[in-house]
Amino acid sequence: MKYISILILFIIILISVNAHARTGAEVHKDVLKAAKEAVAVYRAHGMSGLIETTQRCYDQSTNQGFACVYLDFASRRIAQLARAAAAREGRPVPKRAFFDNASMGARLAPVFIQANMDREKSHAYVRVLTPIINQVVEEKTLHKP
């Protein structure tokens, strides 16, 4: 499965090669870093810490936009996993508006625009990126540091 993830990351690079010159290894490293950070923040500060950290990344970012995108997707996946776990225990947790498609899209759009990615390229990027980040987050949450 790890090799499939690496292959998919190379596909991401091919999709966005004009947008930002990054190697597959660099993207993979950034995705792992974002997932690790998101899991650590969640364990230490819960959902409100994830939201604050993710928003701060965008607010303070001048050139690390895609690092914020990866953090955003990792945080969103953690929110989904937390809601599902709570529901299984009979504790319904309301969905956080911060991670809704519209809210997330508003944060992602400037990053994609700055990277010269049109709507089609950005959607393709997100379609490929989402399952990769979800898998990495799930691996990080299942294995304690």
Side-chain angles (χ1 to χ4, degrees):
M1 194 63 156
K2 186 175 186 177
Y3 295 107
I4 293 172
S5 295
I6 292 172
L7 175 64
I8 293 173
L9 282 171
F10 283 114
I11 293 169
I12 291 172
I13 298 305
L14 292 176
I15 290 171
S16 60
V17 71
N18 292 333
H20 50 289
R22 310 262 336 225
T23 67
E26 289 172 323
V27 172
H28 188 251
K29 180 180 171 184
D30 289 347
V31 166
L32 289 174
K33 180 181 175 188
K36 184 177 179 179
E37 179 182 359
V39 169
V41 168
Y42 177 71
R43 286 182 178 153
H45 305 287
M47 200 59 59
S48 60
L50 273 180
I51 291 170
E52 181 181 319
T53 300
T54 303
Q55 187 60 56
R56 189 174 346 118
C57 183
Y58 286 108
D59 292 345
Q60 297 176 352
S61 176
T62 54
N63 62 355
Q64 64 178 12
F66 278 91
C68 298
V69 168
Y70 306 146
L71 179 63
D72 209 346
F73 275 95
S75 297
R76 180 182 195 170
R77 184 58 180 159
I78 291 169
Q80 292 168 341
L81 293 172
R83 284 187 72 232
R88 282 191 301 275
E89 296 173 2
R91 300 179 296 113
V93 175
K95 192 173 183 180
R96 301 282 182 136
F98 185 82
F99 296 114
D100 284 348
N101 288 341
S103 297
M104 199 167 178
R107 292 189 301 276
L108 299 177
V111 176
F112 291 138
I113 290 168
Q114 184 178 13
N116 296 320
M117 294 173 74
D118 62 20
R119 185 180 179 104
E120 184 179 321
K121 279 187 181 180
S122 63
H123 284 203
Y125 190 87
V126 167
R127 279 192 304 273
V128 174
L129 180 68
T130 301
I132 295 168
I133 289 187
N134 288 354
Q135 177 189 347
V136 172
V137 165
E138 289 164 19
E139 289 171 3
K140 297 286 181 199
T141 57
L142 292 175
H143 305 297
K144 298 280 183 186

